[in-house]
């Protein structure tokens, strides 16, 4: 038995919805169990959730399972996901060999790369009783499937969420500092103008004498 995240990219959007409908109807079968699944779309580089369902399958580890799909979509749909979306392409375009780039990429980065621009994908959390059991659900569609270890993805999500909070904290601090600096500049400009006005006044006053 293996718990995995499956990311399935579809060439035809309607087929993604059809696949999700079939998964919803047969979430438990002899070969595998689907705990959660959703449809996402890459809209201009931003990952947006379009539909989802949760079978309510209970597990003993809420961190790993309870919000895993939602947490993953939250990360790939946020600023980190937008940064990672073009990460592999940037690496491959550099001097680094493409095989090294693929090996060094994080799992979240692989998820971002799997969801092609303007394409639709199904993401699901499955417990597969037989190797590659869930693949048969997508064999009839024009799709590309990426399989990732669910526990490793869960760990990366926690790290990514910490990083995202730190990024937001740093961004707020930078904005506050820029605001202070901008305010200081405006104050200095006003001070300089007031001094110039008084100098003009004194010059005019002396002329009258």
């Amino acid at each position: 038995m293996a718990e995995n995240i499956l990311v399935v990219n579809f060439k035809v959007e309607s087929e993604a919805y059809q696949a999700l409908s079939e998964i919803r109807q047969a979430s438990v079968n002899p070969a595998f169990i689907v705990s959660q699944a959703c449809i996402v779309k890459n809209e201009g580089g931003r990952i947006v959730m379009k539909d989802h369902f949760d079978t309510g399958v209970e597990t003993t580890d809420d961190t790993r399972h309870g919000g895993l799909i939602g947490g993953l979509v939250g990360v790939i749909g946020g600023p980190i996901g937008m940064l990672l979306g073009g990460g592999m392409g940037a690496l491959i375009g550099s001097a680094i060999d493409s095989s090294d780039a693929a090996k060094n990429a994080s799992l979240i980065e692989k998820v971002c790369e799997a969801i092609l621009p303007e394409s639709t994908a199904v993401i699901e959390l499955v417990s597969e009783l037989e190797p590659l059991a869930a693949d048969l659900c997508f064999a009839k569609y024009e799709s590309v499937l990426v399989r990732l270890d669910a526990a490793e993805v869960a760990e990366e999500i926690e790290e990514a969420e910490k990083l995202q909070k730190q990024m937001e904290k740093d961004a707020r601090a930078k904005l506050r500092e820029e605001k202070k600096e901008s305010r200081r500049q405006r104050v200095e400009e006003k001070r300089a103008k007031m001094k110039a006005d008084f100098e003009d006044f004194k010059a005019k006053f002396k002329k009258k004498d």
Side-chain angles (χ1 to χ4, degrees):
M1 181 182 295
E3 294 168 313
N4 295 310
I5 295 289
L6 304 186
V7 183
V8 189
N9 195 79
F10 289 82
K11 290 185 177 180
V12 181
E13 184 171 339
S14 61
E15 290 185 351
Y17 284 89
Q18 178 62 30
L20 185 68
S21 177
E22 292 173 1
I23 292 169
R24 196 191 304 260
Q25 293 171 14
S27 57
V28 179
N29 64 58
F32 63 92
I33 300 171
V34 179
S35 175
Q36 303 160 19
C38 73
I39 286 180
V40 297
K41 186 169 182 179
N42 185 332
E43 298 181 344
R46 183 166 179 265
I47 307 300
V48 180
M49 183 183 289
K50 295 296 185 179
D51 195 5
H52 72 281
F53 82 92
D54 188 327
T55 61
V57 175
E58 293 184 357
T59 65
T60 58
D61 189 343
D62 292 337
T63 301
R64 282 185 61 190
H65 298 286
L68 185 53
I69 293 296
L72 177 58
V73 175
V75 168
I76 64 177
I80 290 179
M82 295 184 72
L83 286 171
L84 293 178
M88 286 294 290
L91 287 174
I92 292 171
S94 70
I96 301 176
D97 181 78
S98 61
S99 62
D100 291 334
K103 182 173 64 176
N104 294 327
S106 69
L107 297 184
I108 291 175
E109 188 172 358
K110 290 179 180 178
V111 173
C112 293
E113 288 296 320
I115 306 171
L116 302 176
E118 305 308 320
S119 71
T120 304
V122 169
I123 303 176
E124 60 179 2
L125 171 61
V126 299
S127 179
E128 298 180 279
L129 308 180
E130 299 175 10
L132 311 182
D135 294 52
L136 295 176
C137 292
F138 307 102
K140 62 183 177 181
Y141 300 114
E142 286 190 272
S143 61
V144 178
L145 185 151
V146 175
R147 176 179 274 98
L148 303 168
D149 183 276
E152 292 185 21
V153 172
E155 176 64 23
E156 283 199 9
I157 289 171
E158 289 186 10
E159 293 301 317
E161 288 175 341
K162 291 177 185 177
L163 176 60
Q164 188 162 300
K165 287 179 181 178
Q166 187 60 47
M167 288 170 60
E168 292 170 354
K169 182 180 178 181
D170 292 344
R172 286 194 296 269
K174 185 177 180 181
L175 286 173
R176 284 195 295 268
E177 187 59 35
E178 289 178 350
K179 185 176 180 180
K180 289 179 182 178
E181 181 60 30
S182 177
R183 184 172 181 272
R184 282 195 292 268
Q185 290 177 357
R186 293 196 301 272
V187 168
E188 289 302 322
E189 288 171 0
K190 288 181 172 61
R191 182 175 287 113
K193 186 178 183 304
M194 288 179 184
K195 286 183 178 180
D197 289 343
F198 273 104
E199 290 298 325
D200 288 344
F201 176 77
K202 286 192 291 184
K204 292 177 182 177
F205 186 78
K206 288 180 179 179
K207 285 182 181 179
K208 290 181 180 179
D209 294 341

